[in-house]
Amino acid sequence: MKFCSDCGHAVEHLIPPSDHLPRHVCPSCGTIHYRNPKVIAGCVPVWEDKVLMCRRNIEPRLGLWTFPAGFLEMSETSAQGAARETLEESQAEVDIGGLLAVINVPYVSQIYMIYRGTMRSPHHAITSESSETRLMREDEIPWDEIAFPTIWHSLKFFFEDRAKGVEGIHTMDLLFRTGRRPEVTTAAPE
Ligand code: ZN
């Protein structure tokens, strides 16, 4: 940030009094411009024994697979965001169910909130964000072509739970940037 979004004056980068981190501070109007982690909301859309996967038509990770997820908008709940992203990325309508996973990704200052979703019909279709959408059984999931480690782990949680007949809430901290399918992770205690 170079200029104050409130008044347009050039900002300074300094540690405000009684704070402990440098912030962008406007010397003209006094506004302190805080930056905080972003929330990504998504869901695993389920139809019968299959889940809906989307091939990314946008960068980053163009051409790789994900389930619908994206940045939460202002003034919406995480569940509303998950349903909206599902519609935007796959044209599928879902009823959002229980929370599946909360995954911290501090190296990019993101928090993923992933839900289980029940598709209202088997309808889905490509969008500007997805070059292909497909309902997949577990043995059809392209594990080596998943776009992000958060998505990979969430799918593992989903299928492990389903095999056990439970619906757990999983927490995980991805502490290291290790590629899209990390082997080194730290799972938070449950
Ligand atoms: Zn200002």
Side-chain angles (χ1 to χ4, degrees):
M1 169 177 267
K2 289 183 177 169
F3 299 99
C4 177
S5 56
D6 282 13
C7 76
H9 197 281
V11 295
E12 295 170 354
H13 199 233
L14 50 82
I15 301 176
S18 73
D19 204 338
H20 63 286
L21 290 172
R23 315 284 183 187
H24 287 110
V25 179
C26 178
S28 178
C29 73
T31 300
I32 302 172
H33 297 276
Y34 295 96
R35 296 176 67 219
N36 300 99
K38 288 195 161 73
V39 176
I40 290 169
C43 84
V44 178
V46 177
W47 180 258
E48 297 175 345
D49 65 335
K50 296 176 178 169
V51 301
L52 182 60
M53 297 292 289
C54 304
R55 190 191 284 274
R56 288 175 64 83
N57 194 36
I58 48 176
E59 293 287 1
R61 311 285 167 85
L62 177 78
L64 296 178
W65 289 89
T66 183
F67 52 74
F71 289 111
L72 201 59
E73 297 286 7
M74 302 299 282
S75 306
E76 76 181 349
T77 68
S78 49
Q80 287 168 343
R84 174 185 51 75
E85 288 289 341
T86 303
L87 192 62
E88 288 177 1
E89 294 186 14
S90 68
Q91 298 189 39
E93 293 189 17
V94 288
D95 291 316
I96 298 297
L99 189 61
L100 170 67
V102 175
I103 304 178
N104 288 289
V105 197
Y107 58 82
V108 286
S109 295
Q110 294 175 352
I111 300 169
Y112 277 66
M113 295 186 67
I114 304 300
Y115 291 85
R116 295 175 176 84
T118 302
M119 293 172 68
R120 292 177 183 169
S121 80
H123 173 74
H124 59 88
I126 64 168
T127 65
S128 60
E129 299 178 37
S130 304
S131 60
E132 186 179 354
T133 57
R134 198 194 302 173
L135 284 166
M136 296 182 181
R137 293 191 312 269
E138 182 176 4
D139 62 6
E140 296 173 312
I141 299 289
W143 293 104
D144 293 330
E145 296 174 58
I146 301 297
F148 301 103
T150 47
I151 302 299
W152 191 91
H153 285 288
S154 297
L155 286 167
K156 286 287 179 186
F157 291 144
F158 175 83
F159 287 115
E160 285 167 8
D161 274 10
R162 197 178 67 172
K164 292 185 224 164
V166 299
E167 292 197 351
I169 298 173
H170 303 263
T171 57
M172 172 175 267
D173 296 340
L174 291 176
L175 298 179
F176 308 105
R177 193 190 294 271
T178 55
R180 65 179 187 269
R181 201 183 69 171
E183 303 303 330
V184 181
T185 59
T186 302
E190 292 181 43

